[in-house]
C-alpha cells in the first residue's frame, strides 16, 4: 500500500464562519447542486458527519475516479477545522487550507502529479463556485 500527502491553500472573500457552514456543515447538499459537473453526490455511509464517520463522494461522469471515501478524523466547529481548516484572510475573507492523505488499497497505483493537478483544478472550481453562490445568495447561510 502506497500513499502521499497533498497540501494547498485557496483564498476566498467569504468570511470563515459562512464558508465553513457552506462547505462543511451543509456541503454534502450544496456542493453537488452548484458543481454538478464535478460532484454527483455526497453521502455518509457510516455516521452522521462527526469524527469516525465515513462519507462517500461520487464524482460526475467523465472524472478520473468514480468515487472516493473519506473518514472524518476531526470536526471543530469553533476553530472551523475539518479535513481542511479556514482562517481569516486580509479583507475579511477566508484562507482555506487543505491537507489530503492518499492511501491505496492493494496494487492500485496513484499518479501523484495527476492527483495534484486534479485536486488543484477541483479546489479552484469548488471554492470559486461556493464563493459565487454565497455572494449571489447572501442570506443562504
Amino acid at each position: 500500500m502506497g500513499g502521499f500527502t497533498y497540501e494547498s491553500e485557496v483564498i476566498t472573500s467569504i468570511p470563515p464562519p459562512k464558508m465553513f457552514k457552506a462547505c462543511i456543515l451543509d456541503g454534502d447538499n450544496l456542493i453537488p447542486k452548484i458543481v454538478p459537473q464535478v460532484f454527483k453526490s455526497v453521502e455518509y455511509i457510516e455516521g452522521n458527519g462527526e469524527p469516525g464517520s465515513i462519507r462517500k463522494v461520487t464524482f460526475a461522469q467523465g472524472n478520473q475516479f468514480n468515487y472516493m471515501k473519506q473518514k472524518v478524523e476531526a470536526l471543530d466547529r469553533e476553530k472551523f477545522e475539518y479535513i481542511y481548516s479556514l482562517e481569516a484572510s486580509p479583507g475579511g475573507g477566508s484562507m482555506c487550507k487543505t491537507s489530503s492523505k492518499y492511501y491505496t488499497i492493494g496494487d492500485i497505483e496513484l499518479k501523484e502529479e495527476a492527483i495534484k493537478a486534479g485536486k488543484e483544478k477541483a479546489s479552484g472550481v469548488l471554492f470559486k463556485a461556493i464563493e459565487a453562490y454565497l455572494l449571489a445568495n447572501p442570506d443562504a447561510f
Side-chain angles (χ1 to χ4, degrees):
M1 175 167 65
F4 64 91
T5 300
Y6 171 74
E7 296 181 358
S8 68
E9 292 183 2
V10 176
I11 295 177
T12 175
S13 63
I14 306 300
K18 193 170 207 173
M19 194 67 164
F20 188 76
K21 187 169 184 189
C23 285
I24 303 305
L25 303 181
D26 196 42
D28 301 343
N29 298 314
L30 179 65
I31 291 169
K33 289 179 188 174
I34 62 174
V35 281
Q37 70 276 22
V38 180
F39 300 98
K40 181 177 179 182
S41 65
V42 181
E43 62 183 316
Y44 284 96
I45 57 176
E46 290 182 28
N48 61 357
E50 297 298 319
S53 298
I54 297 177
R55 72 180 190 168
K56 181 180 179 182
V57 178
T58 303
F59 297 103
Q61 190 172 355
N63 283 286
Q64 183 177 2
F65 300 104
N66 293 329
Y67 70 91
M68 71 176 169
K69 292 180 182 176
Q70 299 174 327
K71 182 177 181 183
V72 178
E73 298 290 347
L75 173 65
D76 188 326
R77 296 170 196 267
E78 270 99 56
K79 291 183 181 178
F80 311 119
E81 292 180 343
Y82 182 66
I83 290 174
Y84 42 85
S85 62
L86 302 175
E87 298 177 4
S89 67
S94 300
M95 180 182 304
C96 307
K97 296 181 177 184
T98 66
S99 179
S100 304
K101 294 182 181 181
Y102 294 84
Y103 300 97
T104 59
I105 298 173
D107 294 335
I108 295 172
E109 182 181 343
L110 290 177
K111 304 264 190 247
E112 188 172 344
E113 291 307 313
I115 296 294
K116 286 180 181 181
K119 187 86 168 163
E120 287 173 10
K121 180 181 177 184
S123 292
V125 168
L126 176 63
F127 286 110
K128 292 303 172 190
I130 292 171
E131 179 181 52
Y133 177 85
L134 293 174
L135 290 171
N137 300 281
D139 297 326
F141 293 93

